[in-house]
Amino acid sequence: MKTLLAGSSLLILLAFASCNGGTAEVQKKAAVDTANFTTVQWLDTLVSIGTINMGEKAQVKFLCKNTGTKPLIITSAKPGCGCTVADYTKEPIAPGGEGWVTGAFDSNKIHGGGDIHKTIIVSTNTSNGTEKYLVFTGNVKGAPGDKVVLPTKPVK
């Protein structure tokens, strides 16, 4: 009886996994099929995180709106460097609906402080450009290069 129950549970889990994989595959195919292209309006493409201290983390959020007649599919959001981790709306966004892309920035993963200019490249199924560059800027203070140390005694 236990074997039958375990086997049934495994089959159910495999069925769910294949359904999710199938959905992702259908979305990927729709994203490259020009008949399924839609249009997108990015509500913000440049965000400032302001000034943060070295060691702090910041999160940015970019919003978009599906202005077309087909579902909007965000297929990927790739950060330009290892100091940022991107996430995005995984489900298709209905016409008129809104989605998002986030960037989690970790100042511990950069070398030195100062002004930052980071990019996330987003791929979508849109006729008005399938790639969009989202940018966030800011300033990181407190890095070792930001401090000037003066000697207390004259150097001979």
Side-chain angles (χ1 to χ4, degrees):
M1 184 67 172
K2 287 182 181 180
T3 306
L4 179 62
L5 183 59
S8 297
S9 297
L10 180 60
L11 284 175
I12 291 171
L13 286 173
L14 288 173
F16 279 120
S18 67
C19 287
N20 286 340
T23 301
E25 191 60 35
V26 168
Q27 288 179 4
K28 284 182 183 179
K29 286 181 181 177
V32 296
D33 181 3
T34 57
N36 290 312
F37 274 14
T38 190
T39 55
V40 64
Q41 175 189 9
W42 288 94
L43 305 177
D44 39 23
T45 58
L46 176 62
V47 175
S48 173
I49 63 169
T51 299
I52 64 171
N53 292 316
M54 181 56 87
E56 291 182 335
K57 297 177 181 179
Q59 182 146 350
V60 294
K61 189 171 191 175
F62 301 92
L63 299 174
C64 65
K65 183 174 183 174
N66 182 350
T67 56
T69 59
K70 304 277 185 173
L72 170 63
I73 300 169
I74 300 175
T75 57
S76 68
K78 298 177 184 173
C81 69
C83 62
T84 303
V85 176
D87 195 13
Y88 58 93
T89 302
K90 304 290 192 294
E91 307 80 32
I93 303 162
E98 292 185 356
W100 50 264
V101 172
T102 61
F105 171 72
D106 185 352
S107 66
N108 285 311
K109 295 188 177 184
I110 62 171
H111 301 289
D115 292 334
I116 59 164
H117 183 96
K118 302 296 176 182
T119 304
I120 300 171
I121 304 167
V122 181
S123 297
T124 58
N125 66 321
T126 51
S127 59
N128 58 334
T130 57
E131 280 191 349
K132 185 67 177 178
Y133 286 70
L134 306 177
V135 176
F136 65 94
T137 62
N139 186 280
V140 178
K141 290 226 175 227
D146 289 346
K147 296 180 183 177
V148 176
V149 179
L150 299 174
T152 55
K153 296 180 184 178
V155 179
K156 295 183 182 183

